[in-house]
Amino acid sequence: MHPAFSVIFFTTSSGAGYGLLALMGLFGAAGQLPQDRWFGLTGLFIALGLVSAGLLASMLHLGRPERAWRAMSQWRSSWLAREGVLALATYVPAGIFAIGWVFLENTSGLFALMGVLSTVMALLTVIATSMIYRSLKTIHQWNNCWTLPGYVTLSLMTGALLLSALLMVFGEQVRAVHGLVPVAIVVAWIVKYVYWRFIDTTQSLATPNSAIGVDGASVKPLDPPHSTENYLLKEMGFQVARKHATKLRLISIATLFVLPLVLSLIAYMGVGGMIALIAAVLAVMLAGLGILAERWLFFAEARHAVNLYYGAESV
Amino acid sequence: MTSLPQSTNKRLGLVIDLDTCVGCHACATNCKEWNTGGHMAPLTDQNPYGKDPDGVWFNRVHSFEVDRGDGPGVTINFPRSCMHCDNAACVTVCPTGASYKRAEDGIVLVNTDKCIGCKLCSWACPYGAREFDEDEGVMKKCTLCIDRIYNETLDIEDRQPACVLTCPVGARHYGDFNDPNSNVSKLVAERAGRPLMPELGYNPTNRYLPPRARRVDAENIGAQSRLDPVSPRKGFLSWVDNALSR
């Protein structure tokens, strides 16, 4: 699949934003985070800023962005519509939670409830995003049980990295959050590892034979149906060279998992010091690069069934 | 509504005979011609007279070489268009309600006034039936010539999809698959018509008739394998024959 920048930016940016919002809602409601209004303001501004920037980017890739409001109506059948509804609805508890924190410096009672509700809604939105891909039977690399946990764990992982670094910037120590970061990285890494193993060792049930309804030993393309690239080839026919995919995976593993894991352990052990702060901020920056590579691969390595008509031997 | 109808009164669709299709692209050309003025009009093109022309088509004719293990490979010309599936995921993924499947005849259509151009429906289609119109920013697709088949200003024999009418070898057939006595149902029964990629579970309406088995060589009836030329008995040719045989 063509890795469109707007969709890569949307899923990674809003994923990290929802992860941060979910953790702030949960830890804030539990009274684990500083009640200071400036901390609340900065954290929720980053969370909702990332979410909103992502949502705006996702509208830019529409052919008719001015009609985007229509995309909420079909929540009964469409995961994209559900995502839209959930994304908008999340602003309500998140907004009330933010009012309590920023204006009243209060994250308990009703505001705690709104915090927990923000967590639930944020996670549901990320799940809806992942289900857009998970539900497409045309793309074996997405239509499997590892897509959803991949999106959720990476969202929480990038959110945890952001929250930990933010706490350190404010000179705060919340062991539970700093300790959560390496755990989240390991979990996300395991899920991504299993996902990559799965797509490397399995393929779609559809074959060139079933695509044209003729049995036989081999189906070879003879004459193409058109002399230049068409919409299908531009959108669905993207192919990433195997050697580049391998290299990009290594880059992704190093910057998304290995280095942030080491840095987050350094930050956890030296919490309160300057080195810990630098390590936590560096981990965020590296993971930011890594998640872009990971999401680019998620699209580039996805092989759509229509490619069977254009010479692919398997998808 | 992008929820699918439980069942449809008719199941209109096409049967395409891969044994007969000669790959002339007339169906694709006439499709473009009719539909650029029809329900989905216009089917825009980018750079149509330039080096890299590109544009919206509802029908694409591939050709493949298939080795079936019964002699040299066979050439199969393969027209590909919308299958008007029972489980049309292109409809259910649509967030706006622009895509829909008609309960009366099963035809899958796009309301281009509601389409936001998110392209998700084209991702959901394994057959590559939907093509994005760059000019209008909306998705377009085969309508089964809904503006021909119900068009009372046309003669009754012309109320068929443009691709079916134009096929010079009669490789395309149109009808109701819910009617066991329709021409398409009979053809599918006779020739073991097949749905494409049934393993993906879309339950497409259109069926493809696979090429018939290769004709086996005739039995040995004792005929000479090679014929000797008859020598002329008289006249000029006989003289030439004799002179050269000497």
Side-chain angles (χ1 to χ4, degrees):
Chain A
M1 298 297 289
H2 172 66
F5 178 74
S6 59
V7 181
I8 291 172
F9 179 75
F10 158 59
T11 57
T12 54
S13 174
S14 70
Y18 283 124
L20 179 56
L21 178 63
L23 293 172
M24 285 188 78
L26 198 63
F27 282 98
Q32 296 274 305
L33 297 177
Q35 302 271 303
D36 169 41
R37 67 162 49 96
W38 295 110
F39 177 79
L41 178 68
T42 315
L44 290 174
F45 180 79
I46 293 174
L48 295 176
L50 285 170
V51 165
S52 307
L55 291 173
L56 283 175
S58 75
M59 287 202 289
L60 287 181
H61 92 286
L62 298 178
R64 291 295 190 106
E66 78 278 8
R67 296 178 183 169
W69 59 273
R70 289 186 180 275
M72 312 279 168
S73 65
Q74 303 303 309
W75 51 270
R76 285 184 194 83
S77 74
S78 165
W79 280 105
L80 180 51
R82 285 170 200 164
E83 183 203 38
V85 171
L86 288 166
L88 270 198
T90 306
Y91 281 105
V92 177
I96 299 173
F97 183 56
I99 289 169
W101 202 332
V102 176
F103 294 105
L104 311 170
E105 297 202 325
N106 182 359
T107 55
S108 58
L110 168 74
F111 298 114
L113 182 69
M114 288 299 141
V116 174
L117 203 54
S118 302
T119 306
V120 173
M121 294 298 289
L123 289 179
L124 285 177
T125 310
V126 174
I127 287 172
T129 304
S130 72
M131 283 305 292
I132 294 172
Y133 305 104
R134 163 77 173 91
S135 64
L136 293 175
K137 284 186 282 189
T138 45
I139 300 164
H140 174 73
Q141 291 74 22
W142 294 353
N143 187 228
N144 61 69
C145 59
W146 297 106
T147 300
L148 191 156
Y151 269 77
V152 174
T153 54
L154 282 171
S155 165
L156 285 173
M157 179 197 125
T158 46
L161 277 163
L162 282 168
L163 184 56
S164 172
L166 193 67
L167 282 167
M168 290 198 185
V169 169
F170 274 78
E172 302 280 352
Q173 301 179 18
V174 182
R175 290 238 160 226
V177 173
H178 304 308
L180 176 68
V181 178
V183 177
I185 294 175
V186 169
V187 172
W189 189 357
I190 291 170
V191 171
K192 200 70 215 181
Y193 174 81
V194 180
Y195 169 83
W196 275 328
R197 251 192 81 86
F198 176 82
I199 67 166
D200 286 346
T201 52
T202 59
Q203 60 191 44
S204 172
L205 292 173
T207 64
N209 292 101
S210 76
I212 65 167
V214 176
D215 299 325
S218 72
V219 174
K220 293 191 199 97
L222 204 58
D223 283 324
H226 35 88
S227 54
T228 56
E229 282 211 322
N230 68 344
Y231 166 72
L232 298 175
L233 288 173
K234 287 173 189 164
E235 185 77 5
M236 262 77 83
F238 187 89
Q239 284 185 328
V240 56
R242 193 115 198 112
K243 58 177 182 177
H244 294 321
T246 313
K247 249 183 218 164
L248 274 162
R249 276 193 196 179
L250 287 175
I251 291 171
S252 176
I253 290 168
T255 56
L256 188 57
F257 301 125
V258 179
L259 294 173
L261 180 62
V262 173
L263 290 166
S264 69
L265 288 171
I266 292 171
Y268 182 70
M269 287 185 288
V271 68
M274 196 60 182
I275 292 176
L277 171 64
I278 294 170
V281 172
L282 202 58
V284 168
M285 288 160 66
L286 283 167
L289 188 71
I291 192 100
L292 288 176
E294 181 274 335
R295 207 50 52 87
W296 190 89
L297 278 172
F298 181 75
F299 284 90
E301 290 190 310
R303 302 198 303 274
H304 194 281
V306 80
N307 288 297
L308 292 171
Y309 294 111
Y310 288 94
E313 286 165 13
S314 67
V315 287
Chain B
M1 273 298 294
T2 54
S3 297
L4 294 170
Q6 287 288 320
S7 64
T8 57
N9 293 340
K10 286 183 174 182
R11 285 174 71 236
L12 297 182
L14 302 173
V15 162
I16 292 166
D17 189 345
L18 297 180
D19 198 51
T20 321
C21 176
V22 292
C24 70
H25 293 247
C27 55
T29 313
N30 200 22
C31 168
K32 176 92 172 170
E33 158 69 19
W34 175 262
N35 283 295
T36 201
H39 180 83
M40 279 280 160
L43 304 196
T44 62
D45 293 303
Q46 272 77 50
N47 204 13
Y49 306 105
K51 198 159 63 93
D52 297 307
D54 184 9
V56 184
W57 293 66
F58 297 159
N59 190 0
R60 303 276 192 179
V61 185
H62 297 249
S63 95
F64 298 100
E65 185 178 62
V66 180
D67 179 3
R68 298 195 298 178
D70 59 352
V74 284
T75 298
I76 290 177
N77 299 298
F78 177 86
R80 174 174 60 75
S81 58
C82 176
M83 310 281 162
H84 299 281
C85 303
D86 288 348
N87 299 325
C90 58
V91 171
T92 55
V93 300
C94 176
T96 68
S99 280
Y100 59 104
K101 184 173 173 72
R102 285 157 54 102
E104 57 266 50
D105 52 20
I107 296 178
V108 176
L109 291 176
V110 178
N111 177 351
T112 51
D113 290 338
K114 278 189 180 173
C115 177
I116 58 172
C118 71
K119 303 178 182 170
L120 188 57
C121 55
S122 67
W123 294 8
C125 174
Y127 311 109
R130 289 173 173 243
E131 298 202 5
F132 186 68
D133 187 326
E134 294 285 345
D135 261 17
E136 298 208 310
V138 296
M139 195 58 73
K140 302 216 166 157
K141 70 174 293 300
C142 159
T143 67
L144 204 64
C145 281
I146 196 156
D147 39 16
R148 290 195 67 93
I149 59 178
Y150 295 116
N151 193 335
E152 290 176 5
T153 62
L154 295 178
D155 293 336
I156 194 114
E157 58 271 26
D158 283 337
R159 292 179 206 167
Q160 294 193 62
C163 58
V164 174
L165 280 174
T166 204
C167 180
V169 293
R172 303 178 73 95
H173 308 270
Y174 154 76
D176 177 13
F177 286 82
N178 266 357
D179 173 5
N181 294 317
S182 68
N183 61 334
V184 286
S185 296
K186 282 182 188 159
L187 272 170
V188 168
E190 272 168 32
R191 301 268 310 276
R194 293 170 62 158
L196 303 183
M197 292 195 253
E199 58 278 2
L200 294 186
Y202 284 72
N203 203 4
T205 301
N206 288 7
R207 292 287 186 271
Y208 283 73
L209 307 181
R212 294 176 175 90
R214 195 183 293 272
R215 216 167 290 163
V216 281
D217 289 332
E219 276 178 80
N220 186 355
I221 52 168
Q224 272 180 274
S225 63
R226 199 159 164 274
L227 297 178
D228 291 327
V230 180
S231 26
R233 299 259 159 83
K234 51 186 177 179
F236 175 68
L237 286 178
S238 166
W239 177 80
V240 173
D241 187 32
N242 285 335
L244 291 175
S245 305
R246 225 172 272 149

